[in-house]
């Protein structure tokens, strides 16, 4: 395994922003999963998914000093992720589907793991049936637990629009789920 | 309206299934560590360049001030001579608001010792630099004392411009161009001192207030760094994935696109490692020799040597 001399030196690099005590490494440790999930649910798959996430944290390093207040860090990060996905990867955006890695059949998978795969496949299949703008608010509200004001800030929307879209998204999601269950019962 | 219970349960079960795996986290951490380090180093390099430009700007302004003093003295001596300099040479740039807009009458008035005091007062004011420039033409000519005051005003405004120049200017332009470009903040001072000899011709020779490079410099640097990082990140990934040929191609592409890029040192590091992985020790040693010349960091060199078996 070739070791790269640059990698472990970076731990000493603090990239401390001028205005506060938060470093990019701290932001990374706390919110990496969220950024990854967000990019994933915005349609990114490997290898673009890793590229997007890396780019998000490069932006964070550059702009963390201009960020004020930890309360909306997640919304700030989501805004960055969304912007990068839209501006750089519009053409390569893939459809919402189960991640390819879940297609690999592994005999050692437990029942729970197989069941989880099925659930995830179902979830993404349902999300794919929502309009983009409905899906976005739905994911942030239902899967990330963001509040209405947080979503409004992240998506730069009026709060009323956010609630209206959440309502529409919930209805659409439920309808899609019913259709999927009906197909399972009737078709297979 | 809320979701059906079944939908709620599905969402609960799948909430964290899109999370990154441990392997994803480890790979991304390594990738980001290198990228953050590279970005920090390039930021330091930019700071060093900025300091170098700032130093050159100060030197250039010092030179300009000295030349201005010499030129002002020569002009004054010329004005005090019976055979005065021709009007066109006296003030290449007409101070429009102060006198009538015509240079010739201003020169003629300048030798008149009964010129009003307010002009002299205007020269003294440090803030209204254009006013100082415009009123200098008549004031300089009067007597040795007003000349000295005017020259001090000139130095003061020059140092003001120097401060303005060093603060926002990040362009690695030639020192003279940088000095001349800085006053785009304030267009008038570029034309001063309005003296016929050296300084004005000197100032006019520079393609000045339209120089956009200082203001635009940061943006292209930023996107170029992004491209550099992307390319080098891919090269590192290729190395890590056991694809040294691809790493070498990416390194060569980086070297072609960014020969003087901020990440040349990082590129050389990856270059050496790729060549070692391809069992090309002679080429690897050549690049390593280049790397050693530019790197002061012994641990980096030690790691490269260890990985390559030098």
């Amino acid at each position: 395994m070739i070791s790269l001399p640059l990698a472990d030196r970076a731990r000493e690099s603090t990239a401390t922003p001028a205005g506060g005590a938060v470093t990019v490494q701290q932001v990374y440790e706390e919110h990496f999963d969220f950024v990854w999930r967000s990019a994933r649910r915005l349609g990114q798959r490997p290898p673009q998914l890793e590229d997007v996430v890396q780019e998000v944290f490069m932006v964070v390093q550059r702009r963390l000093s201009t960020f004020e207040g930890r309360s909306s860090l997640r919304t700030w990060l989501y805004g960055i992720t969304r912007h990068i996905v839209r501006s750089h990867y519009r053409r390569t955006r893939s459809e919402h589907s189960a991640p390819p890695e879940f297609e690999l059949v592994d005999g050692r998978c437990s029942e729970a793991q197989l069941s989880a795969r099925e659930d995830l496949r179902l979830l993404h299949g349902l999300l794919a049936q929502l309009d983009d703008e409905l899906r976005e608010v739905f994911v942030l509200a239902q899967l990330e637990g963001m509040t209405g004001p947080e979503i409004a800030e992240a998506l730069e929307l009026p709060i009323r629009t956010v609630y209206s879209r959440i309502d529409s998204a919930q209805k659409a999601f439920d309808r899609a789920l019913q259709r999927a269950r009906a197909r399972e019962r009737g078709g297979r | 309206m809320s979701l059906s219970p079944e939908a709620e349960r599905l969402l609960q079960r799948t909430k964290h299934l899109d999370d990154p795996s441990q392997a994803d986290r480890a790979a991304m951490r390594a990738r980001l560590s290198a990228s953050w380090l590279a970005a920090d180093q390039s930021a330091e390099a930019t700071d060093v360049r900025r300091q170098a430009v700032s130093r050159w700007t100060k030197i250039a302004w010092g030179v300009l001030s000295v030349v201005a003093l010499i030129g002002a003295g020569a002009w004054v001596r010329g004005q005090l001579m019976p055979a005065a300099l021709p009007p066109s040479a006296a003030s290449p740039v007409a101070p429009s608001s102060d006198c009538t807009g015509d240079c010739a009458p201003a020169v003629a008035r300048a030798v008149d010792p009964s010129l009003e005091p307010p002009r002299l007062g205007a020269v003294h004011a440090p803030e209204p630099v254009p006013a100082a420039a415009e009123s200098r033409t008549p004031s300089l000519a009067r007597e040795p004392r007003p000349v000295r005051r005017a020259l001090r005003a000139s130095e003061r405004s020059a140092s003001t411009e120097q401060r303005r120049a060093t603060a926002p200017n990040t362009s690695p332009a030639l020192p003279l161009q940088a000095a001349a470009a800085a006053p785009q903040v304030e267009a008038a001072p570029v034309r001063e001192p309005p003296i016929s000899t050296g300084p004005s011709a000197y100032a006019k020779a520079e393609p000045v207030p339209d120089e956009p490079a200082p203001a635009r410099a940061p943006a292209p640097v930023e996107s170029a760094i992004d491209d550099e990082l992307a390319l080098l990140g891919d090269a590192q990934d290729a190395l890590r994935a056991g694809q040294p040929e691809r790493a070498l191609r990416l390194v060569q592409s980086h070297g072609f696109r960014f020969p003087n890029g901020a990440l040349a040192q990082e590129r050389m590091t990856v270059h050496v490692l790729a060549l070692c992985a391809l069992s090309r020790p002679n080429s690897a040693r050549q690049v390593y020799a280049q790397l050693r010349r530019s790197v002061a960091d012994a641990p980096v060199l030690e790691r490269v040597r260890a990985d390559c078996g030098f």
Side-chain angles (χ1 to χ4, degrees):
Chain A
M1 160 80 180
I2 297 166
S3 56
L4 296 169
L6 307 172
D8 53 2
R9 274 182 58 201
R11 259 178 250 122
E12 298 147 22
S13 158
T14 52
T16 310
V22 184
T23 65
V24 63
Q25 285 85 356
Q26 285 173 319
V27 173
Y28 170 83
E29 293 301 331
E30 196 176 332
H31 297 287
F32 169 71
D33 287 14
F34 169 70
V35 172
W36 180 281
R37 284 197 303 269
S38 299
R40 171 76 180 75
R41 289 163 180 162
L42 284 166
Q44 300 306 300
R45 297 289 179 275
Q48 286 90 355
L49 174 56
E50 289 93 331
D51 293 343
V52 167
V53 173
Q54 180 175 3
E55 203 164 331
V56 167
F57 285 101
M58 293 309 301
V59 170
V60 168
Q61 186 196 30
R62 284 200 297 272
R63 297 198 200 150
L64 190 55
S65 57
T66 66
F67 176 76
E68 296 165 10
R70 301 187 74 146
S71 58
S72 58
L73 192 57
R74 239 178 18 149
T75 59
W76 184 62
L77 289 170
Y78 186 82
I80 295 171
T81 306
R82 187 170 179 257
H83 174 80
I84 288 171
V85 167
R86 286 187 168 191
S87 61
H88 294 299
Y89 296 97
R90 196 168 291 146
R91 290 193 202 93
T92 64
R93 230 167 127 174
S94 48
E95 293 298 318
H96 261 270
S97 58
E101 59 268 23
F102 277 80
E103 300 301 330
L104 294 173
V105 176
D106 188 338
R108 293 169 298 170
C109 281
S110 66
E111 274 298 316
Q113 283 170 318
L114 290 170
S115 171
R117 282 186 187 178
E118 278 303 310
D119 276 342
L120 191 63
R121 193 175 291 124
L122 175 61
L123 171 70
H124 282 284
L126 298 176
L127 290 175
Q129 296 178 51
L130 300 180
D131 293 340
D132 286 357
E133 55 193 30
L134 296 187
R135 178 172 58 243
E136 201 166 22
V137 295
F138 183 83
V139 165
L140 291 177
Q142 305 294 156
L143 289 168
E144 295 295 342
M146 275 193 187
T147 64
E150 283 182 306
I151 298 172
E153 185 187 340
L155 303 183
E156 296 172 315
L157 290 172
I159 187 82
R160 186 172 296 189
T161 307
V162 169
Y163 288 131
S164 160
R165 287 188 187 176
I166 289 176
D167 194 54
S168 304
Q170 286 174 340
K171 288 173 184 161
F173 188 85
D174 267 332
R175 281 198 301 270
L177 181 58
Q178 294 314 312
R179 284 196 298 271
R181 291 300 185 217
R183 275 198 303 274
E184 280 176 23
R185 285 192 297 271
R188 300 174 194 174
Chain B
M1 171 74 185
S2 59
L3 280 171
S4 65
E6 187 182 0
E8 289 279 8
R9 285 194 298 270
L10 174 64
L11 292 171
Q12 276 303 313
R13 292 196 304 270
T14 57
K15 189 172 284 197
H16 288 285
L17 294 182
D18 279 314
D19 281 2
S21 65
Q22 286 297 336
D24 292 326
R25 288 192 189 94
M28 185 58 60
R29 189 172 286 116
R31 211 165 140 165
L32 279 170
S33 295
S35 298
W36 284 331
L37 177 66
D40 277 348
Q41 289 176 340
S42 77
E44 281 174 27
T46 305
D47 281 343
V48 168
R49 275 200 294 273
R50 209 174 284 151
Q51 284 167 21
V53 169
S54 148
R55 214 176 315 129
W56 273 111
T57 309
K58 283 178 187 154
I59 291 169
W61 274 111
V63 167
L64 270 179
S65 300
V66 168
V67 174
L69 286 171
I70 295 169
W75 186 85
V76 164
R77 280 196 296 280
Q79 286 300 306
L80 294 180
M81 290 296 191
L85 291 166
S88 58
S91 175
V93 179
S96 54
S97 67
D98 230 46
C99 61
T100 58
D102 186 346
C103 294
V107 171
R109 274 208 307 272
V111 301
D112 181 4
S114 65
L115 197 59
E116 294 87 11
R119 291 190 185 278
L120 188 59
V123 169
H124 277 292
E127 270 80 25
V129 176
E134 287 156 3
S135 47
R136 189 171 306 112
T137 307
S139 323
L140 278 171
R142 281 176 59 186
E143 289 154 85
R145 245 180 8 163
V147 166
R148 279 198 291 276
R149 284 195 204 118
L151 292 174
R152 277 202 294 278
S154 154
E155 290 166 45
R156 216 181 300 126
S157 58
S159 68
T160 307
E161 280 316 298
Q162 174 192 333
R163 277 201 304 280
R164 281 196 207 129
T166 55
N169 188 7
T170 62
S171 166
L174 294 173
L176 300 179
Q177 276 178 335
Q184 69 175 331
V185 173
E186 190 77 42
V190 169
R191 304 182 196 135
E192 66 178 70
I195 320 169
S196 63
T197 56
S200 60
Y202 184 84
K204 271 175 67 173
E206 299 304 322
V208 169
D210 303 317
E211 181 63 51
R216 278 217 301 263
V221 169
E222 201 175 279
S223 60
I225 290 290
D226 289 345
D227 292 342
E228 283 198 71
L229 285 170
L231 206 44
L232 267 189
D234 289 345
Q236 287 183 339
D237 292 343
L239 260 189
R240 212 182 282 117
Q243 298 170 336
E245 307 91 358
R246 182 159 180 264
L248 189 61
R249 275 199 306 278
L250 290 165
V251 157
Q252 286 162 344
S253 173
H254 181 279
F256 176 74
R257 286 175 61 189
F258 309 106
N260 302 312
L263 305 182
Q265 176 188 323
E266 283 75 15
R267 178 189 66 240
M268 283 191 278
T269 306
V270 180
H271 196 175
V272 177
L273 294 172
L275 290 168
C276 292
L278 290 167
S279 302
R280 293 170 54 180
N282 293 334
S283 305
R285 279 202 188 83
Q286 279 178 5
V287 181
Y288 176 72
Q290 287 177 7
L291 176 65
R292 237 180 51 182
R293 280 198 290 276
S294 72
V295 169
D297 194 341
V300 170
L301 296 175
E302 278 170 25
R303 293 290 296 275
V304 171
R305 278 200 305 270
D307 288 339
C308 287
F310 285 164

